[in-house]
Amino acid sequence: MNPKNIDLLSNDAELALVQGDSERCQARIAAVLPLVKSDNQLFAVLPFYQWLSNPAQGWKSVLTAIEQLDPAVKFTWSFDTTKPALERMDAKTQQAAQEFIAFFEGKIDLPTLKARLE
């Protein structure tokens, strides 16, 4: 796999997450995240996947990435394939993940997301 192909690596990270292969997911994200700039939606989506593949690390890195995003970023990422992976997680992680997805889908704004995560 080409280590510079952002789309391919991020898609494989999502596939690995859905398949429950957290090691592969983490490896793909570690390879691609340094290549992604803050004006790309993957700048926040990949830390979201990273957290979902290892919920014990906490979701604060996802929020930090969102706060560093270019304000012009509009999310177009579909989480339909990701949502089944949430079923394997505990209720607290599922709820937080749903709040992040609501933000990414434009259903809530950043202050609302922060309030709901507290």
Side-chain angles (χ1 to χ4, degrees):
M1 188 172 299
N2 183 337
K4 302 245 187 250
N5 190 322
I6 292 172
D7 292 332
L8 187 58
L9 288 167
S10 60
N11 287 342
D12 194 52
E14 183 177 17
L15 179 62
L17 175 67
V18 172
Q19 293 174 335
D21 187 345
S22 61
E23 286 183 29
R24 189 172 98 231
C25 182
Q26 294 279 345
R28 296 297 187 247
I29 291 169
V32 74
L33 199 51
L35 306 174
V36 180
K37 297 185 183 337
S38 67
D39 62 352
N40 184 323
Q41 61 188 332
L42 288 172
F43 189 81
V45 171
L46 290 173
F48 176 65
Y49 287 159
Q50 194 171 41
W51 164 62
L52 288 179
S53 69
N54 182 12
Q57 72 186 9
W59 49 257
K60 295 213 187 272
S61 62
V62 184
L63 194 55
T64 299
I66 289 170
E67 291 171 331
Q68 294 174 356
L69 272 175
D70 185 314
V73 169
K74 301 290 182 231
F75 287 95
T76 59
W77 200 265
S78 171
F79 291 93
D80 291 342
T81 55
T82 307
K83 289 177 182 177
L86 302 181
E87 295 172 6
R88 293 191 304 270
M89 297 169 192
D90 63 80
K92 187 175 177 181
T93 302
Q94 285 183 25
Q95 180 60 40
Q98 292 295 347
E99 299 300 343
F100 279 112
I101 290 172
F103 170 81
F104 293 137
E105 293 177 343
K107 296 177 182 171
I108 61 173
D109 60 11
L110 184 55
T112 302
L113 173 63
K114 287 180 173 180
R116 290 183 179 178
L117 291 173
E118 291 180 350

